[in-house]
Amino acid sequence: MWTPLEVHDLVRAVLASGVGPAAVELDLPVPVPLPRRRIPATHPSVINRPDHPAVTGRPAAGSLVVLLEGGPADVTERAERLTAVLGAPAMVGHHAPEWWGRYPFAPGDTALRIEVPINDLHAAVYALRDAAGAPVPVRGSAGTGAVHAALPGALPPERVASILTAVRSVLIARQGRCVVVAAPTAVRRTVDLWGELPALPRLRSAKAHLDPHHRLAPGRLPGGL
């Protein structure tokens, strides 16, 4: 399983390579125990999944996918340069992975959005893991420092609140933030969904000016506006 620091180094290598990526997307799944025996690649449960732990006998390592756009010859040349920089096991593909464009959380989970400068993304993921006491699924744009993560919906609201406090304490010094974008009702009613908002006074003033009667989505905006 890749560590957040290893991902950080890979992203830096991609951005420094000069290939001009259109996107650099990250998928860090939760490690799962290896099966007791290998499963053939033709088995229905793993078909089209040659990297599945049951087929390879290795834990899922996560994926870092770089999107290159342009003419065929230009893209081919840049892809070759990038794979040379990254080395094995980097490979060139012509189709997006199954997880591309999908969130890492399921209905009922507590979904988080983390935004932080690229160079500090690994610190944010480490902080989330430490606060949660275990790895959590993380997916999103490693090239912009904006990712989503999922906490189990069964976590008590007080536990979610403590995780948010710990993560935000790390992010605040790095000009980052962590917001709750979806959560079970009990969690939404208990935790601070937005965290610290330095611009809240200006937002409050603008809301009062544009919506003096508080009719537009009352209580649904940052800070309960």
Side-chain angles (χ1 to χ4, degrees):
M1 183 70 182
W2 282 350
T3 68
L5 184 57
E6 288 172 331
V7 172
H8 166 76
D9 292 340
L10 286 172
V11 173
R12 289 187 61 183
V14 170
L15 297 179
S17 66
V19 300
V24 183
E25 297 291 310
L26 167 70
D27 179 46
L28 286 180
V30 173
V32 295
L34 292 176
R36 294 183 179 180
R37 62 183 180 85
R38 296 283 187 90
I39 297 177
T42 54
H43 191 276
S45 65
V46 296
I47 196 165
N48 295 325
R49 294 290 305 279
D51 60 340
H52 194 282
V55 176
T56 64
R58 301 187 303 272
S63 302
L64 185 72
V65 178
V66 180
L67 173 64
L68 301 177
E69 296 181 337
D74 175 59
V75 168
T76 298
E77 186 273 331
R78 286 187 289 146
E80 290 175 351
R81 277 198 287 138
L82 184 58
T83 53
V85 169
L86 298 179
M91 63 183 68
V92 177
H94 299 282
H95 302 283
E98 290 184 359
W99 54 264
W100 187 275
R102 299 182 181 181
Y103 293 119
F105 45 83
D109 287 343
T110 294
L112 309 179
R113 178 177 174 85
I114 296 173
E115 299 176 6
V116 69
I118 299 171
N119 286 337
D120 292 318
L121 181 58
H122 66 293
V125 176
Y126 275 129
L128 179 59
R129 287 183 172 187
D130 290 345
V136 298
V138 174
R139 184 181 297 161
S141 176
T144 63
V147 298
H148 288 87
L151 297 175
L155 283 180
E158 296 77 14
R159 179 77 177 107
V160 175
S162 68
I163 292 173
L164 289 172
T165 298
V167 173
R168 286 167 175 166
S169 67
V170 171
L171 291 176
I172 193 170
R174 294 172 167 81
Q175 305 300 309
R177 65 175 188 155
C178 176
V179 300
V180 179
V181 296
T185 301
V187 173
R188 293 186 63 86
R189 290 176 175 173
T190 303
V191 307
D192 179 357
L193 302 178
W194 300 95
E196 184 174 341
L197 296 169
L200 184 58
R202 294 195 298 274
L203 291 174
R204 196 181 302 279
S205 176
K207 181 72 160 56
H209 176 72
L210 298 172
D211 182 27
H213 301 293
H214 305 288
R215 294 174 178 171
L216 302 177
R220 297 185 181 181
L221 298 178
L225 295 179

